[in-house]
Amino acid sequence: MREYSFTEARQHFASILEEAKKEGVVCVKKRDGEAFYIKPVTPKQSPLDVEGVDLGISSSEIVDVIREGRERKYS
């Protein structure tokens, strides 16, 4: 983890953010000894947020298949 002074961080803020993104965390220290850690936030995703699958059929074909299945079940 790389450490920067507050002045360095202020002058090169964009590049420090890129470094934090790449390395995971960057430390910024003030003259009085206080330290701050900059790290990227990982976006939270729903477990239900999955990529779709292209089956090569239209929505009307899907509706037809479901309708046929219901008709067979209740006939």
Side-chain angles (χ1 to χ4, degrees):
M1 170 182 50
R2 187 111 189 258
E3 291 184 9
Y4 293 93
S5 70
F6 180 78
T7 304
E8 289 174 315
R10 188 177 58 218
Q11 292 171 347
H12 306 286
F13 192 65
S15 61
I16 288 175
L17 291 179
E18 284 301 315
E19 184 175 339
K21 183 178 179 181
K22 197 181 327 174
E23 299 296 323
V25 67
V26 173
C27 180
V28 177
K29 285 194 171 184
K30 290 174 63 178
R31 285 186 190 164
D32 65 3
E34 282 186 291
F36 299 87
Y37 296 97
I38 299 173
K39 67 179 192 171
V41 176
T42 54
K44 293 186 179 189
Q45 294 180 331
S46 167
L48 301 176
D49 188 16
V50 294
E51 198 170 318
V53 178
D54 184 13
L55 299 175
I57 59 175
S58 69
S59 58
S60 63
E61 290 173 307
I62 294 171
V63 171
D64 289 341
V65 169
I66 292 171
R67 186 176 292 120
E68 287 175 18
R70 287 179 179 171
E71 287 172 0
R72 277 191 229 146
K73 182 177 179 179
Y74 296 113
S75 308

